[in-house]
């Protein structure tokens, strides 16, 4: 597993914001993230069916090798700005709340965090947290990485992640009726409470279903960025709703993981509730007002210029 050691003192956490203070849409809190076979769009239902069918330990290991940064490996040298250009038309097929261009969601998340007065490294995390979907440049539909349209197979780009290699918790995942489709759930090595993991092995030992979170975390580590561990955790685990939202996998956590989860939960509020189809931040506003500010943050945290992807 790729991990990073951060010896700097942990940053102080501000009180979490109220949902009302950051909710940019007219939707009520309970109207976000509603998933059901009958009410959720067909594309989202199919996305999770595909995800549950194909996300296995074997698939994770294969993607880990394909997207490795070991021994200086990378697929392309590219700036963050160039990555944004590639992502401009990407729409997440797994999101039931809004067909929102990915770049706009990233800007809205970052600006929501900035307006709430959180530190600049957290603002930068808001800007970067979904950029790992850039994997679609090197993937295809067979591997669930066709990100050119919501009609493409994207089951290894986005969506709620769970821990592969142990029993999928019915009570904590969306569409639990698809769990029996997962080949690992017929494998006695993987279909028990602990599966291939030791009790309380710790968060960093767990393999969550492969997607943009894990890839982007590894990309940031490979480029030696100085975002603190709390920010890297937000990138790596923000899609792990069964863990940070539903309380799953406590039997696999170490004591200090309980502090780490608080940061992911803080970030999640901005990731979820700042989505607003009427808040256009791209175009001239981005070029003249927003981008110069975030370019400075990229430089500050070691992410300026060409990066390894």
């Amino acid at each position: 597993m790729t991990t990073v050691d951060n010896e700097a003192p942990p940053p102080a956490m501000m009180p979490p914001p109220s949902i009302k203070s950051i909710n940019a849409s007219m939707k009520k809190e309970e109207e976000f993230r509603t998933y059901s076979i009958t009410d959720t769009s067909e594309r989202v239902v199919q996305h999770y069916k595909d995800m549950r069918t194909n996300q296995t330990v074997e698939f994770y290991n294969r993607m880990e090798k394909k997207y490795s940064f070991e021994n200086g490996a990378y697929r392309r040298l590219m700036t963050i700005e160039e990555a944004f250009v590639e992502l401009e038309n990407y729409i997440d097929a797994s999101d039931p709340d809004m067909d929102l261009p990915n770049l706009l969601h990233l800007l809205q998340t970052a600006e929501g965090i900035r307006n709430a007065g959180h530190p600049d490294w957290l603002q930068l995390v808001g800007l970067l947290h979904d950029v790992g979907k850039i994997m679609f440049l090197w993937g295809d539909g067979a591997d669930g990485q066709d990100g050119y349209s919501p009609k493409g197979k994207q089951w290894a780009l986005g969506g709620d992640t769970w821990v592969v290699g142990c029993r999928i918790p019915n009570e904590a995942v969306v569409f639990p009726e698809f769990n029996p489709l997962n080949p690992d759930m017929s494998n006695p090595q993987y279909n028990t409470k602990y599966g291939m993991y030791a009790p309380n092995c710790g968060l960093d030992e767990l393999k969550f279903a492969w997607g943009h979170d894990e890839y982007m975390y590894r990309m940031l580590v490979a480029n030696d960025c100085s975002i603190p561990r709390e920010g890297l955790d937000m990138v790596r685990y923000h899609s792990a709703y069964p863990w940070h939202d539903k309380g799953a996998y406590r039997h696999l956590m170490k004591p200090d993981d309980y502090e780490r989860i608080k940061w992911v939960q803080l970030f999640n509020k901005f990731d979820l509730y700042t989505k607003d189809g009427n808040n256009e931040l791209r175009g001239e506003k981005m070029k003249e007002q927003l981008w110069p500010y975030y370019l400075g943050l990229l430089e500050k945290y070691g992410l300026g210029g060409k990066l390894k992807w």
Side-chain angles (χ1 to χ4, degrees):
M1 299 289 288
T2 299
T3 59
V4 61
D5 294 323
N6 180 19
E7 298 180 356
M13 178 180 286
M14 294 174 59
S18 67
I19 302 304
K20 184 178 180 180
S21 69
I22 62 174
N23 189 351
S25 74
M26 298 299 292
K27 295 174 66 173
K28 297 178 181 179
E29 181 179 353
E30 60 270 19
E31 294 176 334
F32 284 87
R33 288 184 49 79
T34 57
Y35 295 91
S36 72
I37 292 290
T38 55
D39 298 330
T40 304
S41 69
E42 182 179 352
R43 68 177 174 84
V44 175
V45 173
Q46 186 62 49
H47 175 92
Y48 277 99
K49 184 177 182 179
D50 291 339
M51 198 175 181
R52 211 64 49 80
T53 301
N54 294 287
Q55 287 277 4
T56 62
V57 173
E58 185 278 330
F59 180 76
Y60 181 101
N61 293 339
R62 184 154 53 86
M63 292 300 101
E64 183 178 41
K65 182 177 180 180
K66 176 178 179 177
Y67 291 104
S68 174
F69 289 93
E70 291 185 358
N71 301 317
Y74 61 88
R75 284 133 296 280
R76 181 171 166 182
L77 291 174
M78 183 167 47
T79 67
I80 294 292
E81 188 172 20
E82 288 169 340
F84 281 163
V85 172
E86 299 285 358
L87 286 169
E88 176 64 24
N89 295 312
Y90 181 94
I91 297 177
D92 190 347
S94 67
D95 192 340
D97 295 320
M98 189 176 296
D99 286 337
L100 198 67
N102 206 63
L103 175 57
L104 182 54
H105 166 55
L106 294 176
L107 288 169
Q108 290 178 355
T109 304
E111 284 295 281
I113 294 170
R114 182 183 180 188
N115 292 335
H118 287 287
D120 59 7
W121 62 264
L122 208 160
Q123 300 166 30
L124 186 58
V125 167
L127 187 72
L128 299 177
H129 72 279
D130 277 350
V131 177
K133 293 171 184 175
I134 200 74
M135 283 190 297
F136 78 86
L137 293 179
W138 308 289
D140 54 36
D143 284 338
Q145 294 164 8
D146 177 4
Y148 286 99
S149 80
K151 296 181 181 179
K153 296 293 185 180
Q154 300 177 10
W155 49 263
L157 289 174
D160 293 6
T161 59
W162 68 93
V163 177
V164 299
C166 65
R167 182 187 302 140
I168 304 173
N170 288 335
E171 70 281 1
V173 298
V174 300
F175 302 117
E177 55 267 47
F178 295 148
N179 290 352
L181 300 176
N182 190 283
D184 286 352
M185 294 305 95
S186 299
N187 186 335
Q189 182 180 357
Y190 302 137
N191 65 4
T192 63
K193 178 179 179 180
Y194 289 96
M196 66 183 190
Y197 304 105
N200 305 115
C201 59
L203 185 61
D204 291 328
E205 295 302 314
L206 305 181
K207 296 184 176 184
F208 285 83
W210 185 271
H212 70 281
D213 312 57
E214 184 67 21
Y215 169 77
M216 192 62 189
Y217 165 79
R218 290 169 181 251
M219 178 271 182
L220 293 172
V221 172
N223 284 283
D224 298 318
C225 82
S226 57
I227 293 173
R229 188 181 77 166
E230 290 76 9
L232 295 176
D233 280 349
M234 294 171 184
V235 172
R236 193 177 199 183
Y237 302 116
H238 68 272
S239 296
Y241 278 87
W243 172 65
H244 67 67
D245 186 54
K246 299 301 183 181
Y249 309 120
R250 296 304 186 263
H251 58 293
L252 299 175
M253 291 169 62
K254 289 182 177 179
D256 71 337
D257 292 338
Y258 288 90
E259 185 64 26
R260 296 170 70 182
I261 197 173
K262 295 177 184 178
W263 287 96
V264 180
Q265 290 168 337
L266 171 67
F267 173 78
N268 176 254
K269 294 182 184 296
F270 292 98
D271 185 19
L272 186 59
Y273 296 114
T274 56
K275 297 174 183 176
D276 183 3
N278 296 318
N279 184 20
E280 179 57 76
L281 297 175
R282 296 169 298 171
E284 289 302 311
K285 184 171 184 178
M286 176 182 174
K287 181 179 180 181
E288 296 178 4
Q289 300 178 30
L290 300 183
W291 185 245
Y293 173 76
Y294 288 108
L295 183 61
L297 297 189
L298 289 168
E299 293 287 348
K300 178 178 179 179
Y301 289 97
L303 295 168
K306 297 283 187 179
L307 303 170
K308 294 179 290 185
W309 296 83

